[in-house]
Amino acid sequence: MKSLLLLLLRAYKLAISPMLGQNCRFYPSCSEYAAEAIREYGALHGSFMAGKRLCKCHPWHPGGVDPVPCKHAPDEKKQTAPTSEPSSSAPLS
């Protein structure tokens, strides 16, 4: 299913998108966003994310940069312990 959706998106980008022109208010374009979301999250969840993105495409939305959220985002709660560095005033043996 995932491969079929990606193939359909590629066909859209090659055949239909050039006739519509550069009208996208987002970066990356909605078709690029959909392909990346499907690759990252799978056919079902990626298609849902792409549908939500398409619903934002209207004259009253400002657009802008809207990347696919990273599935493997680092956990913000994990913090590394500070490393103790030897002080410069300590004598070296």
Side-chain angles (χ1 to χ4, degrees), residues 20-58:
L20 299 176
Q22 296 287 334
N23 297 322
C24 194
R25 61 182 59 249
F26 290 103
Y27 178 83
S29 69
C30 291
S31 58
E32 290 171 6
Y33 182 95
E36 189 176 337
I38 290 169
R39 274 190 227 102
E40 183 80 20
Y41 288 93
L44 186 62
H45 192 225
S47 296
F48 177 74
M49 292 172 69
K52 280 178 46 178
R53 169 74 177 270
L54 286 171
C55 288
K56 291 188 216 176
C57 188
H58 53 78

